[in-house]
Structures are given as structure tokens and as C-alpha cells.
Amino acid sequence: MEEIKTLLEEYLNDSLYQMVISGPCAREGKKETKGHSLHQPAQKRKVRPLLQKNELLFQVSSYDKSQVFHENLTKEEAIEALAEDTLRHFSQIQIEGKEKGASVLVSKKGKVTLKRKIHKDAEKRQGADLSHNRTKRYLLKEGIPVPFLVDLGVQTPQGKVVASRYDKFRQINRFLEFIADVLPALPTDRPVHIVDFGCGKSYLTFALYYYLHELQGRSLRVTGLDRKADVIAACNGLAQKYGYEGLRFLQGEIADYEQDGPVDLVVTLHACDTATDYALYQAMK
Ligand SMILES: C[S@@+](CC[C@H](N)C(=O)[O-])C[C@H]1O[C@@H](n2cnc3c(N)ncnc32)[C@H](O)[C@@H]1O
């Protein structure tokens, strides 16, 4: 049990891609402890890191013949539950991490054989698997911490992209590429005004401001608008914290937005129901 726990302690972090526990095999006689017990029975379990409210958790997906059940555990809960579960019910674990992996075989009698592998081409794998080799071309670079990305849980304070938030990091960068493409069409003789309708938690609105103002040094105003008062209050708090004077957030309906001066660019992403229609209507106006 201790060997498996030590291994889980080492591999359960934000560099984990996936852990698969498989090969169901009943091994009675192993004592059940009082820790967290996983959904039973399962043919296979998969584990991946998950960031929830800034806390790193591990999602265990348990597959039986026709269904999948998901449970989110802390690292400590996951170590206890998975080590015991493997020894009682499974014969192998495959672990794939960014830089290293491991495999564990458990014999019928419970003997544990462990093999570790370090990926020699770890960097290449990371590029290929997580970002289709586009890491170097991103407008916001991995390794350079951006305050809002750290606060929103996409980067660590050291600038490392949290594995479970890589899709968000890629989405933000892709969005900035669209912005970079339309930049030549925006006026340069006065501050531009950009409005983001249905900005939500405002990953993209902050990215826009950071990219254009902090990185490009452009003079601009950015307005994020959303109907959710609590989200808007949190976003205004963050903008104030970073000293982003040209960035403000308004609470309201897109249909009711009243412009205070010319708007040069309207963005709206993933807005729901009729929100996109109203955003298009406002953009036309
Ligand atoms: C799916 S979220 C997208 C957030 C953000 N644009 C993004 O891509 O990450 C959609 C947001 O639009 C807001 N929304 C939807 N309809 C709206 C409306 N008619 N007026 C204002 N906000 C609206 C919701 O409150 C929600 O925060």
C-alpha cells in the first residue's frame, strides 16, 4: 500500500494528464480503511486534475458497464482512496504526466511492481499534446505570469499554465489573435473604445486590455457588460487591483446598453439565447 501511496503523492499534481486504473480483479482479504470510498463497482477509473475555485482537485471518473460516475477529491482523499481501491479491485495503473509517467502492476496476491519512465522529449510532448505545438507563437507566453490569469486560476504565480486550464489559455490566445488581425482597422489618432457584451468572468476582457494596453501600449477604453451583478462587482475589483484605469465593467442587459461616445469594436463570445442578436444590433448602431 505504501509504495502506491508514495507514487500517487508524487504524480497527483497539475502536471498529470491522466491516470487510468484498470484490470478489475477481486482481491478479498485486504482490509478496507475508513477513508473516502469510491463509487463501486467499477470496471475502470480515470483520474485527472481539476481546478475548482482555485483549489486543485482530482476528478475520478468511474466506468461501469453502462455509466460513468464522477467524484472530485482532494489530493489527500485521492491518495487514500485510490491506493486502497487499487489493491482491493484492480491489477494495473497507467500514469501519464507532462514530464514523466509510470506503470504499476499488482499481482493476484497483491505484490506491487512499479516502473517509472521519464520522457526525454518532455518539451516536445507538451507542445504536441497540449497545444498542437503552438506554444511558442502564443501572444501571451507560458512562463510569464499575467496577474489576471493567476487570479483566475489559469496560471500559477510562476507563470506555469495549470494543466487543467490549458484549454482556457489556448482559447484566450486564439481570441487575441483575432483582435491582432483587426488592429490595423482601428483608429490610431484617439483612444479606441471596445465593448465586450456578455463578458461573464471576463477572461477575454482582461486579456484584451492586457494585450492592447500593457503589451502594445495603446491608449484605449474597454467596457465589459454583463447582467450578473456579482460577477461585475468581482471584475471591477480585479480591474482596480491591477490599476487598469481604462477598464470598467457595467451591470445590465445588452439590449439596454447606451453608448457614451463612439464604440470602435464590439466583441461577444459564448453569449446565450438572444444575447448575440442584441449584441449584433448594438454593434450595428
Ligand atoms: C457563457 S458566458 C460567456 C462569458 C464570456 N464572454 C466568455 O466567453 O468567457 C455568457 C455570459 O453572457 C451573459 N448574458 C447572457 N445574456 C445576456 C444579456 N441579454 N445581457 C447581458 N448579459 C447577458 C451571461 O450572464 C453570461 O455571463
Side-chain angles (χ1 to χ4, degrees):
M1 173 91 86
E2 286 315 307
E3 280 168 287
I4 298 187
K5 280 190 182 172
T6 308
L7 188 83
L8 294 177
E9 171 72 46
E10 181 182 336
Y11 281 85
L12 286 179
N13 54 47
D14 63 7
S15 295
L16 174 72
Y17 284 145
Q18 179 170 263
M19 178 181 304
V20 180
I21 303 174
S22 60
C25 102
R27 232 178 258 110
E28 293 312 325
K30 296 276 169 202
K31 265 203 257 151
E32 195 127 16
T33 57
K34 288 206 182 104
H36 185 97
S37 61
L38 293 164
H39 176 81
Q40 305 276 359
Q43 301 289 314
K44 182 169 75 177
R45 301 198 200 276
K46 287 186 179 177
V47 185
R48 66 178 187 92
L50 175 83
L51 201 73
Q52 216 172 55
K53 293 183 184 154
N54 274 336
E55 186 188 9
L56 181 65
L57 298 176
F58 294 88
Q59 183 171 74
V60 181
S61 304
S62 300
Y63 296 73
D64 71 11
K65 285 199 179 92
S66 55
Q67 282 173 297
V68 188
F69 298 87
H70 302 288
E71 294 161 84
N72 296 338
L73 307 182
T74 63
K75 179 166 178 162
E76 289 67 34
E77 286 170 340
I79 292 173
E80 286 296 324
L82 294 172
E84 180 187 311
D85 181 58
T86 303
L87 282 180
R88 286 175 64 83
H89 303 292
F90 292 98
S91 57
Q92 53 178 298
I93 309 179
Q94 287 293 339
I95 306 176
E96 273 301 313
K98 257 189 208 166
E99 278 118 32
K100 55 188 182 174
S103 60
V104 177
L105 289 178
V106 187
S107 76
K108 278 196 178 134
K109 288 187 177 162
K111 183 171 175 291
V112 175
T113 312
L114 203 156
K115 274 192 193 151
R116 290 160 190 277
K117 52 181 180 191
I118 306 284
H119 306 313
K120 285 200 189 100
D121 55 348
E123 209 164 281
K124 230 162 72 192
R125 286 172 57 88
Q126 184 182 335
D129 293 352
L130 285 179
S131 63
H132 304 291
N133 240 354
R134 302 189 51 170
T135 312
K136 287 193 176 69
R137 289 174 44 208
Y138 281 158
L139 292 170
L140 302 182
K141 310 268 183 260
E142 205 173 345
I144 302 176
V146 178
F148 75 91
L149 290 180
V150 175
D151 279 336
L152 294 172
V154 177
Q155 279 184 318
T156 65
Q158 292 72 38
K160 191 169 165 228
V161 178
V162 175
S164 57
R165 307 307 307 278
Y166 217 96
D167 278 351
K168 195 44 123 181
F169 183 70
R170 195 163 43 217
Q171 184 199 42
I172 291 168
N173 271 291
R174 185 74 191 103
F175 171 79
L176 289 180
E177 286 172 15
F178 285 119
I179 299 298
D181 283 348
V182 298
L183 270 187
L186 296 179
T188 48
D189 55 347
R190 60 172 172 80
V192 293
H193 184 196
I194 303 177
V195 178
D196 182 357
F197 285 128
C199 56
K201 280 176 96 179
S202 298
Y203 295 89
L204 303 178
T205 335
F206 278 104
L208 195 64
Y209 189 84
Y210 178 83
Y211 174 61
L212 292 176
H213 188 260
E214 304 289 299
L215 297 185
Q216 302 247 325
R218 288 187 74 132
S219 161
L220 82 159
R221 270 201 311 142
V222 175
T223 303
L225 181 132
D226 202 285
R227 55 161 61 132
K228 291 184 192 151
D230 54 340
V231 172
I232 288 301
C235 291
N236 273 323
L238 285 180
Q240 210 173 4
K241 173 176 163 189
Y242 310 138
Y244 291 173
E245 284 173 6
L247 177 60
R248 64 171 182 171
F249 294 91
L250 304 177
Q251 191 259 323
E253 286 295 309
I254 299 171
D256 300 337
Y257 173 74
E258 285 187 14
Q259 63 188 72
D260 54 351
V263 175
D264 302 290
L265 177 69
V266 166
V267 297
T268 186
L269 190 78
H270 292 175
C272 344
D273 193 26
T274 51
T276 305
D277 303 319
Y278 283 120
L280 285 171
Y281 170 71
Q282 290 285 16
M284 297 290 287
K285 272 213 299 188

